């Protein structure tokens, strides 16, 4: 495969994936399709935007005829689909937007791929990037989500992602479309939109603003460094089995409140403050509706079949991440002020 469509490539994980693919595979043409919602930021891709094997198309994946045209224009042979509405709190406020992009957008891409490839499946692949949230919530303890755990989504976000996963598998079972799916745990790292826990809290600690902890801070998440996630996607895309699902996670569970205390310590130290002096910013607030208690991924299949393992310890990854946000205050300021949305107009001379 040479012509690869990556959707959502201007977002957090997508921008890391585009960077990896454009640099690692100079003979591929990477076509990044992104609508540039509030979460899409072309400044995340400054270092690759002029590379000859990279193309950007501002487009909504829900626009079926536009997707057909893009498949046709670029002779798309493989898809790595990340475009989505991704924030749980927003899904509680506006579930329709999540059904639209995550379900209808995925369907539009599946249908465009099916029509373009028209039964010639060899060397064709539709890879769908999904989340561990589709499995629901675990009780405290040792149980982990495996690839065969029953789907049990609770938020409008996870319900929409679960639905998209089902559509992807239905296209495989019904029409024979070659597909792969991966379900990953919480990612952290550079270029994450500062509405998500880690970048939001680092920015707030820096500016002495309250750190709003939902409920008692007892919820558990399994954190993975984003560059390890995109390495896993690359491996699964090239070497995973057609029709299969792979869980991706770092065996790295943290109670929110414990993680937040670590974040406070590291951020304080890097800012030259006494470690823990920002603890007073921790503010317990009303819980998120339907807040899943615990996520934890069993990624043994990926390790055993494809030899993938996280490259960094959590201590290394989180230190690197805090440093990155503290050294990229301009990026954060552009995002929080909304200025980043002008980047497309400047770069491409378009509105
Ligand atoms: P993100 O919100 O940072 O980025 C999403 C990107 O999709 C943005 O660039 C946005 O502009 C684009 N987009 C949204 N709607 C679109 C549409 N209709 N058409 C075209 N582009 C559109 O998300 P992220 O955190 O990078 O997540 C990427 C994918 O990975 C999502 O599918 C998400 O469900 C999945 N995932 C995320 C995590 C995580 O921890 N962030 C973990 C597991 C899986
Ligand atoms: O598990 C994978 C999922 O991880 C992805 O599919 C989602 O796209 C991604 O957003 C993330 O979902 P979470 O809801 O787990 O991430 P978030 O950063 O929003 O929250 C992490 C935990 O911190 C969660 O238990 C809620 C809590 N939280 C979050 C925020 C933003 C707070 O206590 N306070 C906050 O202000």
């Amino acid at each position: 495969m040479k012509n690869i469509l990556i959707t959502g490539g201007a977002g957090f994980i997508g921008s890391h994936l585009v960077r990896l693919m454009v640099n690692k595979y100079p003979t591929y043409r990477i076509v990044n399709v992104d609508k540039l919602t509030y979460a899409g930021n072309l400044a995340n891709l400054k270092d690759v935007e002029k590379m000859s094997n990279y193309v950007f198309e501002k487009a909504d994946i829900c626009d079926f005829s536009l997707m057909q045209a893009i498949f046709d224009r670029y002779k798309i042979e493989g898809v790595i689909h990340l475009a989505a509405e991704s924030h749980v709190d927003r899904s509680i406020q506006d579930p329709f937007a999540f059904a639209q992009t995550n379900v209808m957008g995925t369907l539009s891409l599946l249908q465009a791929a099916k029509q373009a490839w028209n039964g010639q499946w060899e060397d064709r692949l539709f890879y769908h990037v999904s989340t561990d949230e589709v499995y629901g919530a675990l009780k405290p303890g040792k149980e982990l989500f495996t690839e065969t755990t029953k789907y049990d989504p609770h938020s409008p976000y996870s319900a929409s992602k679960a639905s998209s996963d089902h559509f992807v598998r239905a296209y495989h079972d019904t029409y024979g479309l070659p597909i792969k799916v991966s379900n990953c745990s919480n990612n952290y790292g550079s270029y994450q939109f500062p509405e998500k826990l880690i970048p939001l809290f680092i920015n707030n600690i820096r500016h002495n603003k309250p750190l709003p902890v939902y409920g008692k801070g007892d919820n558990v998440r399994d954190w993975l460094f984003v560059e390890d996630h995109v390495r896993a996607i690359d491996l699964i895309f090239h070497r995973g089995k057609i029709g299969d699902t792979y869980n991706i996670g770092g065996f790295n569970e943290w109670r929110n409140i414990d993680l937040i205390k670590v974040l406070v310590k590291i951020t304080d130290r890097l800012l030259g403050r006494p470690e823990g002096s920002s603890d007073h910013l921790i503010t317990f607030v009303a819980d998120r509706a339907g807040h899943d208690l615990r996520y934890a991924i069993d990624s043994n299949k990926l390790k055993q079949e494809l030899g993938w393992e996280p490259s960094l310890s959590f201590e290394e990854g989180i230190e690197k991440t805090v440093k990155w946000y503290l050294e990229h205050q301009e990026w954060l300021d552009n995002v929080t002020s909304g200025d980043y949305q002008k980047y497309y107009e400047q770069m491409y001379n378009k509105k």
Side-chain angles (χ1 to χ4, degrees):
M1 269 179 268
K2 295 279 192 252
N3 294 306
I4 314 293
L5 169 63
I6 295 182
T7 70
F12 165 48
I13 302 170
S15 61
H16 283 278
L17 181 67
V18 166
R19 179 171 302 104
L20 179 142
M21 298 290 283
V22 165
N23 284 305
K24 187 167 172 188
Y25 302 105
T27 59
Y28 290 8
R29 174 165 60 182
I30 303 298
V31 181
N32 173 13
V33 163
D34 199 298
K35 183 183 172 183
L36 300 181
T37 67
Y38 80 94
N41 183 353
L42 286 178
N44 297 357
L45 289 166
K46 255 188 182 160
D47 52 332
V48 300
E49 68 194 2
K50 299 217 167 87
M51 286 177 73
S52 58
N53 60 338
Y54 171 71
V55 182
F56 175 70
E57 285 281 352
K58 184 176 188 298
D60 186 340
I61 56 165
C62 301
D63 185 337
F64 176 58
S65 45
L66 190 50
M67 290 307 109
Q68 285 180 303
I70 285 173
F71 268 79
D72 191 39
R73 186 176 322 142
Y74 295 107
K75 309 275 169 279
I76 297 298
E77 297 157 289
V79 178
I80 311 182
H81 173 38
L82 295 96
E85 288 292 341
S86 71
H87 191 44
V88 174
D89 294 328
R90 287 181 190 253
S91 82
I92 295 167
Q93 297 307 318
D94 183 11
F96 277 64
F98 284 69
Q100 180 63 15
T101 284
N102 299 1
V103 185
M104 296 309 291
T106 301
L107 190 50
S108 148
L109 281 171
L110 285 164
Q111 186 65 12
K114 173 178 167 280
Q115 284 190 355
W117 300 339
N118 194 24
Q120 308 294 307
W121 302 139
E122 212 179 308
D123 285 333
R124 298 290 178 271
L125 178 63
F126 190 103
Y127 179 169
H128 178 58
V129 174
S130 193
T131 171
D132 61 359
E133 303 208 4
V134 297
Y135 298 125
L138 293 166
K139 296 196 179 66
K142 292 212 158 66
E143 197 194 344
L144 303 174
F145 296 134
T146 71
E147 287 80 1
T148 55
T149 299
K150 196 164 98 24
Y151 272 35
D152 184 21
H154 297 132
S155 72
Y157 164 66
S158 53
S160 67
K161 289 296 290 188
S163 172
S164 65
D165 294 11
H166 291 319
F167 268 109
V168 173
R169 295 195 181 103
Y171 265 65
H172 178 61
D173 296 344
T174 308
Y175 308 112
L177 189 83
I179 62 113
K180 296 177 189 175
V181 178
S182 58
N183 296 83
C184 188
S185 62
N186 284 62
N187 284 215
Y188 71 95
S190 53
Y191 298 113
Q192 187 169 30
F193 196 85
E195 62 185 349
K196 306 277 166 70
L197 181 81
I198 289 183
L200 174 72
F201 278 32
I202 296 169
N203 203 28
N204 284 9
I205 296 166
R206 177 178 207 145
H207 292 104
N208 288 306
K209 285 173 140 174
L211 308 176
V213 182
Y214 298 161
K216 295 190 182 123
D218 279 342
N219 304 69
V220 173
R221 296 292 182 265
D222 178 358
W223 294 94
L224 181 68
F225 191 55
V226 62
E227 292 175 32
D228 282 327
H229 184 190
V230 301
R231 273 197 312 108
I233 293 175
D234 173 27
L235 205 56
I236 295 166
F237 181 76
H238 287 98
R239 294 193 18 226
K241 284 198 199 112
I242 300 284
D244 264 23
T245 295
Y246 294 85
N247 277 357
I248 312 174
F251 293 105
N252 179 41
E253 290 179 52
W254 285 82
R255 240 175 18 127
N256 287 344
I257 191 66
D258 299 330
L259 173 71
I260 290 161
K261 292 209 164 145
V262 169
L263 265 186
V264 168
K265 268 199 183 135
I266 299 177
T267 311
D268 277 343
R269 172 167 47 76
L270 293 174
L271 286 170
R273 300 176 187 166
E275 278 187 19
S277 59
S278 302
D279 271 346
H280 68 96
L281 298 172
I282 294 175
T283 310
F284 292 93
V285 300
D287 208 353
R288 174 186 275 174
H291 198 172
D292 286 331
L293 182 62
R294 174 173 166 253
Y295 303 144
I297 276 275
D298 179 348
S299 54
N300 274 315
K301 174 177 171 178
L302 182 59
K303 183 174 176 184
Q304 280 153 15
E305 281 189 17
L306 302 180
W308 175 89
E309 277 188 71
S311 66
L312 284 183
S313 70
F314 185 64
E315 288 67 27
E316 291 167 314
I318 198 70
E319 175 97 14
K320 243 178 131 159
T321 301
V322 176
K323 264 196 187 134
W324 189 88
Y325 285 102
L326 295 182
E327 285 165 4
H328 290 78
Q329 190 58 47
E330 199 190 345
W331 181 89
L332 275 167
D333 290 344
N334 276 334
V335 172
T336 46
S337 68
D339 280 354
Y340 69 107
Q341 287 171 319
K342 297 181 192 132
Y343 193 82
Y344 171 73
E345 294 162 32
Q346 289 157 6
M347 178 64 202
Y348 291 85
N349 242 339
K350 291 182 193 168
K351 292 239 174 207

